[in-house]
Amino acid sequence: MEAQQTKSIITKDAYDLLIGICKNALPMEACGILASSEDALRDENPYIIDTVIPITNKHIDPTHSFTFDPAEWTSAYYAMQKNRQKLVGLFHSHPRTEAIPSSSDSEGFLPASELSYWIVSLRSSETPHVQPYRRSEGAFIPMELVLT
């Protein structure tokens, strides 16, 4: 059995882009995907996130929830394949609340997914709080965030 991932590593440039995407979406929730380039893969850690791809939030109530635009999601996935990148995470923002998964976050998560799940809290837009999670046995487990 594979060891569970306990930390998520992201480049400083990707982290800054993630925060910018989420702030620019206010007052709506931002959402998108996180990827790792082939040259950012490491043996001791499965990936380093170096790519952030925003996807338009098409939810009926985008100020309180998110749904990926299906066409953009499909296009982004194929572009990652073409660019030899690996999908490693999903992200969305919480414009007014903490970076804690909500009940709708739990309902929308892929049950057998190995992806990390990132929430960006903009409750204080001057000091955003970013929290990655992994999913294990139906629960969100916080991961250590490491900037590189």
Side-chain angles (χ1 to χ4, degrees), residues 5-12 14-15 34-37 40-52 88-89 116 118 132 143-148:
Q5 186 81 7
T6 60
K7 59 183 165 184
S8 281
I9 303 173
I10 187 168
T11 65
K12 174 81 167 94
Y15 180 86
L34 304 167
S36 181
S37 299
L41 298 173
R42 290 187 177 171
D43 290 336
E44 69 272 11
N45 196 68
Y47 61 82
I48 296 174
I49 294 166
D50 61 358
T51 305
V52 179
V88 296
S116 58
W118 293 55
M143 300 174 75
E144 177 187 357
L145 186 148
V146 178
L147 285 177
T148 184

mmCIF file of all heavy atoms in Angstrom, residues 5-12 14-15 34-37 40-52 88-89 116 118 132 143-148:
data_model
loop_
_atom_site.group_PDB
_atom_site.id
_atom_site.type_symbol
_atom_site.label_atom_id
_atom_site.label_comp_id
_atom_site.label_asym_id
_atom_site.label_seq_id
_atom_site.Cartn_x
_atom_site.Cartn_y
_atom_site.Cartn_z
ATOM 1 N N GLN A 5 0.227 10.891 1.312
ATOM 2 C CA GLN A 5 0.889 12.186 1.163
ATOM 3 C C GLN A 5 0.552 13.056 2.376
ATOM 4 O O GLN A 5 -0.603 13.173 2.751
ATOM 5 C CB GLN A 5 0.363 12.818 -0.128
ATOM 6 C CG GLN A 5 1.012 14.077 -0.522
ATOM 7 C CD GLN A 5 2.323 13.847 -1.234
ATOM 8 O OE1 GLN A 5 2.694 12.741 -1.540
ATOM 9 N NE2 GLN A 5 3.024 14.917 -1.457
ATOM 10 N N THR A 6 1.562 13.667 2.987
ATOM 11 C CA THR A 6 1.306 14.515 4.151
ATOM 12 C C THR A 6 1.582 15.988 3.891
ATOM 13 O O THR A 6 1.256 16.830 4.708
ATOM 14 C CB THR A 6 2.157 14.064 5.359
ATOM 15 O OG1 THR A 6 3.535 14.163 5.005
ATOM 16 C CG2 THR A 6 1.795 12.654 5.785
ATOM 17 N N LYS A 7 2.245 16.285 2.752
ATOM 18 C CA LYS A 7 2.492 17.692 2.438
ATOM 19 C C LYS A 7 2.288 17.957 0.959
ATOM 20 O O LYS A 7 2.433 17.064 0.128
ATOM 21 C CB LYS A 7 3.869 18.134 2.898
ATOM 22 C CG LYS A 7 5.037 17.394 2.333
ATOM 23 C CD LYS A 7 6.322 17.922 2.960
ATOM 24 C CE LYS A 7 7.477 16.979 2.703
ATOM 25 N NZ LYS A 7 8.683 17.423 3.372
ATOM 26 N N SER A 8 1.950 19.198 0.666
ATOM 27 C CA SER A 8 1.803 19.661 -0.708
ATOM 28 C C SER A 8 2.843 20.738 -0.946
ATOM 29 O O SER A 8 2.949 21.694 -0.174
ATOM 30 C CB SER A 8 0.412 20.256 -0.938
ATOM 31 O OG SER A 8 -0.534 19.245 -1.121
ATOM 32 N N ILE A 9 3.592 20.577 -2.022
ATOM 33 C CA ILE A 9 4.652 21.523 -2.351
ATOM 34 C C ILE A 9 4.211 22.318 -3.570
ATOM 35 O O ILE A 9 3.756 21.753 -4.564
ATOM 36 C CB ILE A 9 5.976 20.784 -2.624
ATOM 37 C CG1 ILE A 9 6.355 19.938 -1.407
ATOM 38 C CG2 ILE A 9 7.073 21.774 -2.973
ATOM 39 C CD1 ILE A 9 7.547 19.030 -1.628
ATOM 40 N N ILE A 10 4.352 23.647 -3.486
ATOM 41 C CA ILE A 10 3.962 24.535 -4.568
ATOM 42 C C ILE A 10 5.060 25.587 -4.748
ATOM 43 O O ILE A 10 5.654 26.034 -3.770
ATOM 44 C CB ILE A 10 2.585 25.189 -4.285
ATOM 45 C CG1 ILE A 10 2.087 26.001 -5.485
ATOM 46 C CG2 ILE A 10 2.600 26.004 -3.006
ATOM 47 C CD1 ILE A 10 0.618 26.432 -5.370
ATOM 48 N N THR A 11 5.310 25.949 -6.008
ATOM 49 C CA THR A 11 6.299 26.997 -6.247
ATOM 50 C C THR A 11 5.721 28.336 -5.803
ATOM 51 O O THR A 11 4.501 28.525 -5.765
ATOM 52 C CB THR A 11 6.698 27.089 -7.734
ATOM 53 O OG1 THR A 11 5.562 27.503 -8.491
ATOM 54 C CG2 THR A 11 7.248 25.761 -8.255
ATOM 55 N N LYS A 12 6.593 29.267 -5.480
ATOM 56 C CA LYS A 12 6.166 30.611 -5.055
ATOM 57 C C LYS A 12 5.367 31.298 -6.165
ATOM 58 O O LYS A 12 4.340 31.930 -5.900
ATOM 59 C CB LYS A 12 7.400 31.443 -4.670
ATOM 60 C CG LYS A 12 7.116 32.890 -4.341
ATOM 61 C CD LYS A 12 6.598 33.070 -2.930
ATOM 62 C CE LYS A 12 6.601 34.507 -2.478
ATOM 63 N NZ LYS A 12 5.359 35.208 -2.682
ATOM 64 N N ALA A 14 3.547 29.886 -8.543
ATOM 65 C CA ALA A 14 2.230 29.248 -8.645
ATOM 66 C C ALA A 14 1.343 29.671 -7.472
ATOM 67 O O ALA A 14 0.148 29.935 -7.642
ATOM 68 C CB ALA A 14 2.369 27.731 -8.701
ATOM 69 N N TYR A 15 1.926 29.761 -6.287
ATOM 70 C CA TYR A 15 1.183 30.192 -5.098
ATOM 71 C C TYR A 15 0.649 31.612 -5.286
ATOM 72 O O TYR A 15 -0.523 31.890 -5.028
ATOM 73 C CB TYR A 15 2.087 30.110 -3.869
ATOM 74 C CG TYR A 15 1.423 30.536 -2.583
ATOM 75 C CD1 TYR A 15 0.690 29.631 -1.828
ATOM 76 C CD2 TYR A 15 1.530 31.847 -2.125
ATOM 77 C CE1 TYR A 15 0.084 30.012 -0.647
ATOM 78 C CE2 TYR A 15 0.925 32.242 -0.946
ATOM 79 C CZ TYR A 15 0.200 31.317 -0.209
ATOM 80 O OH TYR A 15 -0.418 31.719 0.964
ATOM 81 N N LEU A 34 -4.733 22.286 -10.363
ATOM 82 C CA LEU A 34 -3.315 22.433 -10.047
ATOM 83 C C LEU A 34 -2.570 21.290 -10.726
ATOM 84 O O LEU A 34 -3.011 20.139 -10.669
ATOM 85 C CB LEU A 34 -3.105 22.377 -8.536
ATOM 86 C CG LEU A 34 -3.914 23.407 -7.742
ATOM 87 C CD1 LEU A 34 -3.883 23.075 -6.255
ATOM 88 C CD2 LEU A 34 -3.377 24.806 -7.998
ATOM 89 N N ALA A 35 -1.448 21.628 -11.361
ATOM 90 C CA ALA A 35 -0.714 20.615 -12.110
ATOM 91 C C ALA A 35 0.774 20.688 -11.801
ATOM 92 O O ALA A 35 1.278 21.688 -11.276
ATOM 93 C CB ALA A 35 -0.944 20.809 -13.610
ATOM 94 N N SER A 36 1.437 19.615 -12.155
ATOM 95 C CA SER A 36 2.880 19.511 -11.984
ATOM 96 C C SER A 36 3.492 19.167 -13.332
ATOM 97 O O SER A 36 3.054 18.227 -14.000
ATOM 98 C CB SER A 36 3.192 18.408 -10.970
ATOM 99 O OG SER A 36 4.571 18.296 -10.765
ATOM 100 N N SER A 37 4.499 19.937 -13.732
ATOM 101 C CA SER A 37 5.222 19.644 -14.961
ATOM 102 C C SER A 37 6.066 18.400 -14.761
ATOM 103 O O SER A 37 6.468 18.076 -13.637
ATOM 104 C CB SER A 37 6.132 20.810 -15.347
ATOM 105 O OG SER A 37 5.374 21.964 -15.558
ATOM 106 N N ALA A 40 9.030 18.764 -12.720
ATOM 107 C CA ALA A 40 8.824 19.126 -11.312
ATOM 108 C C ALA A 40 8.455 17.900 -10.471
ATOM 109 O O ALA A 40 8.146 18.020 -9.303
ATOM 110 C CB ALA A 40 7.738 20.187 -11.186
ATOM 111 N N LEU A 41 8.509 16.727 -11.069
ATOM 112 C CA LEU A 41 8.227 15.502 -10.317
ATOM 113 C C LEU A 41 9.500 15.062 -9.606
ATOM 114 O O LEU A 41 10.597 15.152 -10.141
ATOM 115 C CB LEU A 41 7.743 14.394 -11.258
ATOM 116 C CG LEU A 41 6.440 14.688 -12.003
ATOM 117 C CD1 LEU A 41 6.155 13.592 -13.020
ATOM 118 C CD2 LEU A 41 5.289 14.820 -11.036
ATOM 119 N N ARG A 42 9.333 14.589 -8.375
ATOM 120 C CA ARG A 42 10.477 14.141 -7.577
ATOM 121 C C ARG A 42 10.184 12.767 -7.005
ATOM 122 O O ARG A 42 9.047 12.437 -6.702
ATOM 123 C CB ARG A 42 10.720 15.093 -6.403
ATOM 124 C CG ARG A 42 11.232 16.440 -6.802
ATOM 125 C CD ARG A 42 11.582 17.183 -5.531
ATOM 126 N NE ARG A 42 12.150 18.475 -5.831
ATOM 127 C CZ ARG A 42 12.383 19.385 -4.927
ATOM 128 N NH1 ARG A 42 12.106 19.154 -3.664
ATOM 129 N NH2 ARG A 42 12.905 20.542 -5.256
ATOM 130 N N ASP A 43 11.235 11.995 -6.787
ATOM 131 C CA ASP A 43 11.064 10.668 -6.214
ATOM 132 C C ASP A 43 10.559 10.725 -4.778
ATOM 133 O O ASP A 43 9.667 9.991 -4.394
ATOM 134 C CB ASP A 43 12.386 9.886 -6.243
ATOM 135 C CG ASP A 43 12.772 9.512 -7.663
ATOM 136 O OD1 ASP A 43 11.873 9.426 -8.517
ATOM 137 O OD2 ASP A 43 13.974 9.307 -7.908
ATOM 138 N N GLU A 44 11.135 11.620 -3.967
ATOM 139 C CA GLU A 44 10.765 11.661 -2.550
ATOM 140 C C GLU A 44 9.393 12.307 -2.330
ATOM 141 O O GLU A 44 8.785 12.159 -1.290
ATOM 142 C CB GLU A 44 11.832 12.373 -1.718
ATOM 143 C CG GLU A 44 11.943 13.870 -1.957
ATOM 144 C CD GLU A 44 12.880 14.262 -3.091
ATOM 145 O OE1 GLU A 44 13.310 13.386 -3.858
ATOM 146 O OE2 GLU A 44 13.178 15.466 -3.197
ATOM 147 N N ASN A 45 8.906 13.028 -3.308
ATOM 148 C CA ASN A 45 7.584 13.632 -3.232
ATOM 149 C C ASN A 45 6.963 13.483 -4.621
ATOM 150 O O ASN A 45 7.614 13.783 -5.612
ATOM 151 C CB ASN A 45 7.685 15.117 -2.851
ATOM 152 C CG ASN A 45 6.357 15.655 -2.384
ATOM 153 O OD1 ASN A 45 5.873 15.261 -1.331
ATOM 154 N ND2 ASN A 45 5.754 16.510 -3.170
ATOM 155 N N PRO A 46 5.762 12.992 -4.696
ATOM 156 C CA PRO A 46 5.186 12.721 -6.016
ATOM 157 C C PRO A 46 5.103 13.932 -6.940
ATOM 158 O O PRO A 46 5.101 13.767 -8.131
ATOM 159 C CB PRO A 46 3.791 12.202 -5.696
ATOM 160 C CG PRO A 46 3.868 11.701 -4.310
ATOM 161 C CD PRO A 46 4.891 12.573 -3.631
ATOM 162 N N TYR A 47 5.036 15.128 -6.411
ATOM 163 C CA TYR A 47 4.901 16.283 -7.295
ATOM 164 C C TYR A 47 5.248 17.590 -6.598
ATOM 165 O O TYR A 47 5.258 17.678 -5.383
ATOM 166 C CB TYR A 47 3.473 16.389 -7.821
ATOM 167 C CG TYR A 47 2.442 16.568 -6.724
ATOM 168 C CD1 TYR A 47 2.196 17.819 -6.173
ATOM 169 C CD2 TYR A 47 1.741 15.497 -6.213
ATOM 170 C CE1 TYR A 47 1.286 17.997 -5.151
ATOM 171 C CE2 TYR A 47 0.821 15.661 -5.184
ATOM 172 C CZ TYR A 47 0.604 16.918 -4.667
ATOM 173 O OH TYR A 47 -0.292 17.090 -3.649
ATOM 174 N N ILE A 48 5.539 18.570 -7.428
ATOM 175 C CA ILE A 48 5.628 19.962 -6.997
ATOM 176 C C ILE A 48 4.682 20.727 -7.910
ATOM 177 O O ILE A 48 4.822 20.691 -9.141
ATOM 178 C CB ILE A 48 7.056 20.521 -7.134
ATOM 179 C CG1 ILE A 48 8.002 19.780 -6.201
ATOM 180 C CG2 ILE A 48 7.059 22.025 -6.832
ATOM 181 C CD1 ILE A 48 9.456 20.162 -6.376
ATOM 182 N N ILE A 49 3.718 21.408 -7.337
ATOM 183 C CA ILE A 49 2.760 22.165 -8.136
ATOM 184 C C ILE A 49 3.468 23.393 -8.703
ATOM 185 O O ILE A 49 4.028 24.187 -7.962
ATOM 186 C CB ILE A 49 1.538 22.573 -7.291
ATOM 187 C CG1 ILE A 49 0.766 21.319 -6.880
ATOM 188 C CG2 ILE A 49 0.647 23.554 -8.060
ATOM 189 C CD1 ILE A 49 -0.244 21.545 -5.794
ATOM 190 N N ASP A 50 3.456 23.504 -10.024
ATOM 191 C CA ASP A 50 4.066 24.657 -10.676
ATOM 192 C C ASP A 50 3.125 25.296 -11.702
ATOM 193 O O ASP A 50 3.499 26.251 -12.374
ATOM 194 C CB ASP A 50 5.406 24.277 -11.325
ATOM 195 C CG ASP A 50 5.270 23.209 -12.394
ATOM 196 O OD1 ASP A 50 4.151 22.708 -12.631
ATOM 197 O OD2 ASP A 50 6.296 22.855 -13.011
ATOM 198 N N THR A 51 1.911 24.783 -11.791
ATOM 199 C CA THR A 51 0.941 25.297 -12.760
ATOM 200 C C THR A 51 -0.427 25.420 -12.094
ATOM 201 O O THR A 51 -0.896 24.473 -11.455
ATOM 202 C CB THR A 51 0.832 24.349 -13.976
ATOM 203 O OG1 THR A 51 2.142 24.164 -14.529
ATOM 204 C CG2 THR A 51 -0.095 24.904 -15.034
ATOM 205 N N VAL A 52 -1.039 26.593 -12.250
ATOM 206 C CA VAL A 52 -2.381 26.856 -11.728
ATOM 207 C C VAL A 52 -3.245 27.264 -12.919
ATOM 208 O O VAL A 52 -2.902 28.198 -13.640
ATOM 209 C CB VAL A 52 -2.366 27.985 -10.671
ATOM 210 C CG1 VAL A 52 -3.767 28.256 -10.154
ATOM 211 C CG2 VAL A 52 -1.418 27.656 -9.532
ATOM 212 N N VAL A 88 -2.736 17.216 -10.310
ATOM 213 C CA VAL A 88 -2.444 16.793 -8.943
ATOM 214 C C VAL A 88 -3.392 17.391 -7.905
ATOM 215 O O VAL A 88 -3.407 16.951 -6.764
ATOM 216 C CB VAL A 88 -0.982 17.073 -8.544
ATOM 217 C CG1 VAL A 88 -0.032 16.255 -9.400
ATOM 218 C CG2 VAL A 88 -0.653 18.543 -8.636
ATOM 219 N N GLY A 89 -4.187 18.399 -8.312
ATOM 220 C CA GLY A 89 -5.073 18.995 -7.323
ATOM 221 C C GLY A 89 -6.178 19.837 -7.932
ATOM 222 O O GLY A 89 -6.134 20.209 -9.103
ATOM 223 N N SER A 116 -4.999 16.327 -4.468
ATOM 224 C CA SER A 116 -5.089 17.197 -3.295
ATOM 225 C C SER A 116 -6.235 18.178 -3.544
ATOM 226 O O SER A 116 -6.643 18.403 -4.682
ATOM 227 C CB SER A 116 -3.770 17.927 -3.044
ATOM 228 O OG SER A 116 -3.379 18.698 -4.155
ATOM 229 N N TRP A 118 -7.498 22.000 -2.461
ATOM 230 C CA TRP A 118 -7.021 23.241 -1.865
ATOM 231 C C TRP A 118 -8.164 24.217 -1.685
ATOM 232 O O TRP A 118 -8.958 24.438 -2.604
ATOM 233 C CB TRP A 118 -5.984 23.877 -2.770
ATOM 234 C CG TRP A 118 -4.715 23.084 -2.891
ATOM 235 C CD1 TRP A 118 -4.588 21.785 -3.275
ATOM 236 C CD2 TRP A 118 -3.404 23.551 -2.655
ATOM 237 N NE1 TRP A 118 -3.274 21.421 -3.278
ATOM 238 C CE2 TRP A 118 -2.525 22.489 -2.906
ATOM 239 C CE3 TRP A 118 -2.887 24.779 -2.253
ATOM 240 C CZ2 TRP A 118 -1.147 22.600 -2.766
ATOM 241 C CZ3 TRP A 118 -1.514 24.902 -2.116
ATOM 242 C CH2 TRP A 118 -0.661 23.822 -2.366
ATOM 243 N N PRO A 132 -4.246 23.061 1.905
ATOM 244 C CA PRO A 132 -4.450 21.851 1.100
ATOM 245 C C PRO A 132 -4.933 20.694 1.988
ATOM 246 O O PRO A 132 -4.601 20.636 3.177
ATOM 247 C CB PRO A 132 -3.069 21.565 0.519
ATOM 248 C CG PRO A 132 -2.110 22.211 1.461
ATOM 249 C CD PRO A 132 -2.839 23.334 2.151
ATOM 250 N N MET A 143 -3.131 18.977 5.013
ATOM 251 C CA MET A 143 -1.759 18.688 4.601
ATOM 252 C C MET A 143 -0.891 19.916 4.906
ATOM 253 O O MET A 143 -1.397 21.035 4.949
ATOM 254 C CB MET A 143 -1.717 18.396 3.096
ATOM 255 C CG MET A 143 -2.555 17.211 2.671
ATOM 256 S SD MET A 143 -2.608 17.031 0.871
ATOM 257 C CE MET A 143 -0.985 16.362 0.561
ATOM 258 N N GLU A 144 0.384 19.681 5.101
ATOM 259 C CA GLU A 144 1.325 20.776 5.272
ATOM 260 C C GLU A 144 1.559 21.440 3.908
ATOM 261 O O GLU A 144 1.781 20.751 2.913
ATOM 262 C CB GLU A 144 2.643 20.235 5.831
ATOM 263 C CG GLU A 144 3.718 21.274 5.978
ATOM 264 C CD GLU A 144 5.061 20.677 6.385
ATOM 265 O OE1 GLU A 144 5.163 19.470 6.617
ATOM 266 O OE2 GLU A 144 6.017 21.467 6.453
ATOM 267 N N LEU A 145 1.511 22.768 3.874
ATOM 268 C CA LEU A 145 1.781 23.510 2.644
ATOM 269 C C LEU A 145 3.240 23.952 2.670
ATOM 270 O O LEU A 145 3.682 24.565 3.654
ATOM 271 C CB LEU A 145 0.867 24.724 2.539
ATOM 272 C CG LEU A 145 0.948 25.496 1.236
ATOM 273 C CD1 LEU A 145 -0.400 26.102 0.897
ATOM 274 C CD2 LEU A 145 1.990 26.562 1.276
ATOM 275 N N VAL A 146 3.985 23.631 1.616
ATOM 276 C CA VAL A 146 5.389 23.981 1.534
ATOM 277 C C VAL A 146 5.610 24.820 0.284
ATOM 278 O O VAL A 146 5.294 24.390 -0.824
ATOM 279 C CB VAL A 146 6.283 22.704 1.481
ATOM 280 C CG1 VAL A 146 7.754 23.088 1.356
ATOM 281 C CG2 VAL A 146 6.032 21.825 2.689
ATOM 282 N N LEU A 147 6.147 26.047 0.467
ATOM 283 C CA LEU A 147 6.517 26.909 -0.660
ATOM 284 C C LEU A 147 7.941 26.617 -1.062
ATOM 285 O O LEU A 147 8.817 26.495 -0.216
ATOM 286 C CB LEU A 147 6.400 28.382 -0.279
ATOM 287 C CG LEU A 147 5.009 28.972 -0.182
ATOM 288 C CD1 LEU A 147 5.076 30.406 0.283
ATOM 289 C CD2 LEU A 147 4.265 28.878 -1.502
ATOM 290 N N THR A 148 8.172 26.537 -2.366
ATOM 291 C CA THR A 148 9.525 26.280 -2.848
ATOM 292 C C THR A 148 9.924 27.295 -3.910
ATOM 293 O O THR A 148 9.112 27.952 -4.477
ATOM 294 C CB THR A 148 9.649 24.853 -3.394
ATOM 295 O OG1 THR A 148 10.997 24.595 -3.763
ATOM 296 C CG2 THR A 148 8.798 24.632 -4.595
#
